[in-house]
Amino acid sequence: MLTNCRGDEPKRMPDTVPDINGSITSLTETEAEGSKITAQLLVEAKEGSRATYPSASIKVDHNTLIENNEGKRIKAGLLQEGQEVEVWFDGPVRESMPVQATAKAIRVSLRP
């Protein structure tokens, strides 16, 4: 069971509308801490989605929960450009264009 830094509460996918829903258009691995990979993503919102932002520069760290749409947890190293994702932000965003945020959770679509 994975826990977060707030204690023994397990990490769960949020039950709210994601902050952005779209495609990974750029991905850069920023650091590798043992088996913990961190990354920087650029996500462009899908046209017609209910996303809060049209695009976002997103930091993925060891606290980010990443699952596929069947609920299976996956590692940050398996993220790829072109994948469809839903992303929930952790904390405030830095208002720029695109906005900058840290990912609390990412759901990766299994659809090709």
Side-chain angles (χ1 to χ4, degrees), residues 17-90:
V17 173
D19 293 294
I20 190 163
N21 178 2
S23 297
I24 298 173
T25 58
S26 175
L27 183 147
T28 305
E29 187 177 305
T30 56
E31 188 177 328
E33 300 172 16
S35 63
K36 297 177 183 173
I37 295 173
T38 59
Q40 191 72 31
L41 311 176
L42 181 62
V43 175
E44 300 285 336
K46 284 196 280 189
E47 194 171 315
S49 72
R50 298 187 308 166
T52 307
Y53 305 100
S55 63
S57 176
I58 302 164
K59 178 183 175 186
V60 178
D61 63 21
H62 66 278
N63 290 316
T64 304
L65 171 62
I66 307 170
E67 293 183 352
N68 64 27
N69 55 356
E70 293 180 346
K72 181 180 177 189
R73 295 194 178 172
I74 59 176
K75 296 182 180 191
L78 297 176
L79 295 172
Q80 299 174 7
E81 288 183 21
Q83 286 177 318
E84 294 287 322
V85 293
E86 296 173 299
V87 183
W88 289 264
F89 299 157
D90 187 24

Side-chain angles (χ1 to χ4, degrees), residues 5 16 18 22 35 46 70 72 75 82 96-97 100 102 104:
C5 60
T16 58
S35 63
K46 284 196 280 189
E70 293 180 346
K72 181 180 177 189
K75 296 182 180 191
S96 60
M97 188 48 97
Q100 300 172 44
T102 299
K104 176 178 186 173

Side-chain angles (χ1 to χ4, degrees), residues 91-108:
V93 299
R94 289 162 294 293
E95 296 289 338
S96 60
M97 188 48 97
V99 296
Q100 300 172 44
T102 299
K104 176 178 186 173
I106 300 173
R107 180 178 293 130
V108 180

